[in-house]
């Protein structure tokens, strides 16, 4: 890597080479995982380049291609699988400054990849009472491009499923990593080529996303003496077709009282909860439903005058549940599971229940292929990596797929198989393999046996580590 | 009935007693059913009274109570179970003039019961890009109060379920039939007391309904060479969580080519179709999905410049499918069936398939208790009432409940059992039994055996008939 030559070629662009600042921008929330923390703690880029528009992205990619310098794209670094960490050093391409919201129309918004999700919603709400269909719990800080490239769903998935589903991303503009980078427009089936690919096969420079009606969502917490009742209530609420919710999140005791510190005053020790976001026009029906289910509403943001210091409901949910637990007890980590429909409640009871005192249930109800079911983000008291793998195997042996958040590769954190569409697109868009090296096993090690049970160790990481 | 005394008491109100005009306002679309046509053809009221506001409704009800005159409320008479037909004569209370849209806010609209559904949407669209969650195929002419009192769901139920579901009606104001009529406000669980009660236990004078985002829905017809493929496509489309549709309606050959006359030029004889309404922002994803399913889009309203004379997609669906068939072949009638999840496709194939040449499948995909399933409104070549009953029994014996559209009572057209909540409310709100007599069997004949297999014949109807 001739970094000096590269820097000369980048003259006039915003380039950072202060090692402390570069390291800061080379990290994400990988430390959620003790495994990734051990593996990735030393990872850093050589430079951070912050293009202001697509033309500058093209310049950076052409220059890096010329000098064989790896490029790892980054939004705001709120992922927690090391998605945005530059395993082979080189350039971190920060897209944070490409954050313009350029077009808002009924049902759609066009913006730069670096636009913060909450900022997009602020603009679309002010424009026409619209908001994005879904967002991660890092709503306030995550970029839309990072969400598309490294996320999968979240708050709002109860209505619209996941980002992978047809229609949840409308259009992506992508720049390829070639001597002469090309700009491609992807729609329809082609979107799958680059969504959730960690930026391994193209740099997203513009996104068009669907919008839905924005409401002043009401945060509600419903409490139960046993978790099974909470899970059943959450499932039944999610099945209420006329009650518009955006979040239905059961969390098992003792987590709510221990980890939701700022809401502790509304809870009793030992309570399991369901954290909800409810549309204001559905609140009366929500209360009637909860009364019928003999469920106790312990917090309702419309009835609490002083909400200062209280985080919004979505910051108790999805990966923020883990974050809150981690802050109180650093030995906590988590898993990501799916409890396939229609047996979700039985599977939760059975599989989560196999690890008393070690696993605390945390469910997120979603629509999945037309049905209501739940993902799990169970909190796990971490002891050893071997024990964590044992727990994962138990889930999978019982029919609950695990999307392993302790792996930095696409495949190991996902479907444990080659994504032929993304691989084929990488061959075209990044023939030299310079984009986010080490994240796509199918590219790095085509013969890799995903069923070996071993963790893939990227050679770049070996060398640097 | 001392009608002269009543008329004196109604002085100053809008009262019609011209027999021809009164008979016109005493009818609905009951003639869809050859059975109801035979039973109800002679039914007529003595007067039509058209109050302009709630105070006038109270005056009418007090006066009718005083003179023991039955009152049958009516919106615009687009129901087709004789809901609005005055079986004991007396007064038809036309609420068509109480049609003011008074408040529009995010997610909600308040209006009079006589407001036409399409007019409400026109106002809410202009105000803030919103529309009602669901509407019948008689969108252009049906009143909102009639829809709530006599309907159950329709276009939009694919997203929000039915009117019976928590949250799909927000608030109803109701006037009781007493010496001194009371005004009651119903919300939450209490709404069930008067929704789908045909106005037997209170007169709705104001409604508050939830709104959702309005879009310029795109009408699409997808065609198939066999109906099974059409049904499977419809089910799979309805399960696409990210593709926003408002209507997914499979109709079996030969009906589309025979009965959708104005769309015939887009079809081939022998084709089965799926009629859809798709949000514009979902159209690209819809096309990609259809391509993957190897489905042929034969009509797309965005690609047909001259749409003059083409009815909107929703006027090919729900009860309009029947209407179109009836217009071409007066021997056609229909049934209403539910194919319970998760066996809907197998049940459609099995049960509809038992009557080749006699029953043509027509499905409407909906959300039902959180799942995607379908109702059926199969077209039936009518021969005799006995044969129709035989077909109904076959459906029910095979696990497909029939909501019989050839009965004018709430129970026989619905769950075939007493609705204790509505009955209790009627005891309070209409102690003399003057509201829409003959429609609630539980009131007229408390000992009636719903399992007898016989049709309930209202004594008032016997007397008049």
């Amino acid at each position: 890597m001739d970094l000096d030559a590269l820097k000369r070629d980048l003259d006039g662009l915003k380039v950072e080479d202060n090692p402390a600042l570069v390291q800061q921008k080379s990290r994400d929330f990988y430390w959620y995982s003790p495994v990734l923390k051990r593996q990735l703690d030393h990872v850093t880029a050589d430079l951070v380049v912050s293009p202001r528009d697509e033309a500058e992205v093209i310049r950076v990619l052409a220059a890096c291609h010329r000098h064989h310098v790896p490029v790892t794209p980054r939004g705001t670094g709120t992922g927690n699988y090391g998605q945005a960490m530059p395993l082979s050093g080189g350039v971190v391409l920060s897209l944070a400054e490409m954050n313009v919201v350029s077009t808002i129309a009924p049902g759609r918004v066009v913006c730069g990849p670096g636009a913060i999700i909450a900022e997009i919603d602020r603009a679309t709400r002010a424009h026409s009472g619209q908001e994005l269909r879904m967002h991660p719990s890092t709503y306030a800080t995550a970029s839309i491009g990072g969400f598309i490239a490294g996320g999968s769903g979240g708050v709002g998935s109860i209505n619209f499923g996941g980002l992978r589903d047809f229609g949840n991303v409308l259009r992506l503009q992508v720049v390829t990593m070639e001597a002469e980078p090309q700009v491609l427009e992807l729609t329809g089936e082609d979107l799958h080529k680059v969504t959730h690919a960690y930026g391994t096969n193209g740099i997203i420079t513009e996104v068009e996303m669907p919008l839905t009606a924005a409401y002043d969502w009401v945060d509600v917490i419903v409490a139960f003496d046993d978790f099974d009742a909470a899970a059943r209530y959450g499932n039944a609420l999610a099945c209420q077709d006329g009650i518009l919710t955006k979040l239905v999140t059961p969390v098992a005791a003792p987590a709510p009282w221990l980890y939701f510190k700022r809401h502790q005053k509304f809870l009793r020790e030992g309570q399991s909860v369901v954290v909800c976001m409810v549309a204001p026009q559905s609140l009366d029906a929500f209360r009637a439903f909860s009364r019928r289910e003999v469920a106790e509403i312990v917090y309702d943001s419309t009835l609490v005058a002083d909400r200062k210091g209280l985080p919004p409901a979505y910051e108790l949910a999805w990966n923020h549940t883990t974050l809150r637990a981690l802050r109180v007890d650093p030995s906590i980590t988590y898993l990501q599971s799916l409890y396939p429909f229609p047996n979700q409640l039985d599977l939760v009871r059975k599989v989560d229940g196999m690890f008393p005192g070690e696993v605390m249930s945390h469910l997120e109800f979603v629509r999945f292929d037309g049905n209501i079911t739940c993902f799990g983000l169970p909190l796990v008291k971490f002891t050893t990596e071997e024990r964590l793998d044992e727990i994962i195997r138990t889930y999978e042996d019982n029919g609950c797929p695990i999307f392993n958040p302790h792996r930095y590769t696409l495949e190991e954190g996902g479907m444990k198989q080659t994504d032929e569409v993304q691989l084929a697109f990488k061959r075209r868009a990044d023939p030299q393999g310079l984009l986010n090296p080490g994240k796509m096993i199918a590219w790095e090690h085509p013969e890799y046996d995903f069923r070996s049970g071993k963790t893939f160790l990227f050679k770049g990481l070996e060398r640097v580590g």
Side-chain angles (χ1 to χ4, degrees), chain A:
Chain A
M1 280 197 271
D2 184 346
L3 290 172
D4 291 328
L6 175 64
K7 277 197 231 175
R8 279 193 300 276
D9 282 2
L10 297 178
D11 186 47
L13 299 186
K14 193 165 163 188
V15 177
E16 178 61 62
D17 62 1
N18 175 318
L21 296 175
V22 171
Q23 179 160 54
Q24 206 178 57
K25 296 284 190 201
S26 299
R27 308 188 141 203
D28 59 17
F29 284 76
Y30 71 106
W31 48 265
Y32 267 44
S33 159
V35 182
L36 295 181
K37 179 147 176 58
R38 179 179 61 75
Q39 292 174 326
L40 304 183
D41 216 30
H42 65 280
V43 165
T44 189
D46 298 287
L47 300 176
V48 177
V49 186
S50 302
R52 277 153 294 204
D53 56 31
E54 189 177 81
E56 292 193 353
V57 170
I58 292 171
R59 266 193 68 195
V60 178
L61 295 189
C64 288
H65 187 269
R66 196 151 52 239
H67 299 288
H68 292 280
V69 174
V71 172
T72 299
R74 172 193 172 91
T76 47
T78 59
N80 54 284
Y81 321 126
Q83 294 106 308
M85 294 180 71
L87 303 191
S88 298
V91 163
V92 158
L93 188 72
S94 168
L95 296 153
E97 299 193 14
M98 289 176 61
N99 60 2
V100 176
V101 178
S102 52
T103 309
I104 304 170
R108 25 181 114 225
V109 61
V110 180
C111 58
I116 302 296
I117 296 179
E119 296 293 334
I120 299 170
D121 274 6
R122 228 184 303 274
T124 55
R125 277 173 170 260
H127 176 276
S128 42
Q130 301 186 93
E131 65 184 22
L132 291 164
R133 287 179 169 183
M134 61 190 75
H135 63 75
S137 67
T138 49
Y139 182 62
T141 51
S143 72
I144 188 71
F147 184 43
I148 294 167
S152 55
V155 185
S157 287
I158 185 81
N159 294 311
F160 293 104
L163 281 171
R164 76 187 158 81
D165 288 312
F166 271 128
N168 284 332
V169 178
L170 300 183
R171 184 177 58 84
L172 293 176
Q173 203 155 292
V174 173
V175 179
T176 62
M177 182 59 153
E178 299 174 273
E180 293 185 21
Q182 297 173 64
V183 179
L184 305 177
E185 272 220 347
L186 305 177
T187 59
E189 191 101 50
D190 289 339
L191 288 162
H192 179 63
K193 294 174 178 171
V194 294
T195 55
H196 203 79
Y198 295 179
T200 55
N201 59 12
I203 302 298
I204 298 170
T205 52
E206 186 173 270
V207 311
E208 182 167 350
M209 296 294 280
L211 297 175
T212 185
Y215 299 108
D216 292 330
W217 297 98
V218 179
D219 293 346
V220 184
I221 300 177
V222 188
F224 298 84
D225 287 330
D226 73 292
F227 179 68
D228 200 43
R232 277 186 280 115
Y233 168 89
N235 195 82
L237 173 62
C239 287
Q240 285 288 316
D241 303 312
I243 298 179
L244 184 58
T245 55
K246 194 170 178 178
L247 184 76
V248 178
T249 308
V251 182
W257 198 83
L258 285 179
Y259 307 138
F260 296 169
K261 286 290 189 195
R262 289 167 183 275
H263 287 85
Q264 203 187 59
K265 58 186 167 194
F266 302 105
L267 305 171
R268 290 193 305 275
E269 203 172 346
Q271 280 186 320
S272 293
V273 302
V274 182
V275 181
C276 309
M277 286 168 70
V278 182
Q281 68 271 29
S282 288
L283 195 57
D284 176 65
F286 172 86
R287 288 175 182 149
F289 167 79
S290 298
R291 206 173 301 124
R292 200 178 68 184
E293 300 287 311
V294 200
E296 183 192 1
I297 299 175
V298 296
Y299 174 75
D300 172 336
S301 60
T302 64
L303 302 177
V304 175
D306 182 12
R307 297 198 301 279
K308 211 163 37 176
L310 292 179
Y314 58 79
E315 290 186 355
L316 303 176
W318 291 91
N319 270 342
H320 262 71
T321 315
T322 316
L323 182 60
R324 286 185 191 280
L326 264 172
R327 279 188 189 151
V328 174
D329 178 352
S331 80
I332 295 281
T333 188
Y334 82 120
L335 290 172
Q336 295 177 149
S337 49
L338 170 66
Y339 307 89
F341 178 87
N343 305 313
Q344 63 267 27
L345 294 181
D346 288 343
L347 284 168
V348 167
R349 199 178 305 121
K350 179 180 174 194
V351 187
D352 291 13
M354 287 176 172
F355 307 97
E358 189 174 12
V359 167
M360 285 167 266
S361 291
H362 162 202
L363 311 179
E364 294 287 353
F365 280 94
V366 296
R367 277 198 199 288
F368 192 93
D369 292 348
N371 301 311
I372 294 293
T373 190
C374 56
F375 285 112
L377 292 86
L379 300 170
V380 180
K381 285 241 180 203
F382 180 75
T383 47
T384 65
E385 294 185 27
E386 291 67 33
R387 176 58 179 164
L388 196 59
D389 287 342
E390 203 171 284
I391 295 174
I392 290 172
R393 270 198 308 279
T394 306
Y395 272 80
E396 300 200 314
D397 289 349
N398 282 280
C400 298
I402 290 283
F403 309 98
N404 192 341
H406 305 282
R407 298 290 182 268
Y408 55 81
T409 62
L410 286 161
E411 292 94 336
E412 292 167 301
M415 301 307 293
K416 287 143 208 115
Q417 61 186 40
T418 297
D419 185 326
E420 297 292 353
V421 171
Q422 296 197 340
L423 176 61
F425 191 66
K426 185 171 175 74
R427 289 203 184 99
R428 174 186 170 193
D430 179 28
Q432 308 260 13
L434 291 168
L435 289 179
N436 206 353
K439 304 297 170 61
M440 189 191 282
I441 297 178
W443 177 270
E444 307 293 345
H445 188 338
E447 309 304 314
Y448 188 76
D449 175 12
F450 293 107
R451 291 286 148 203
S452 71
K454 279 185 280 188
T455 300
F456 175 76
L457 189 58
F458 175 50
K459 60 185 186 311
L461 206 54
E462 260 174 338
R463 191 197 60 205
V464 181

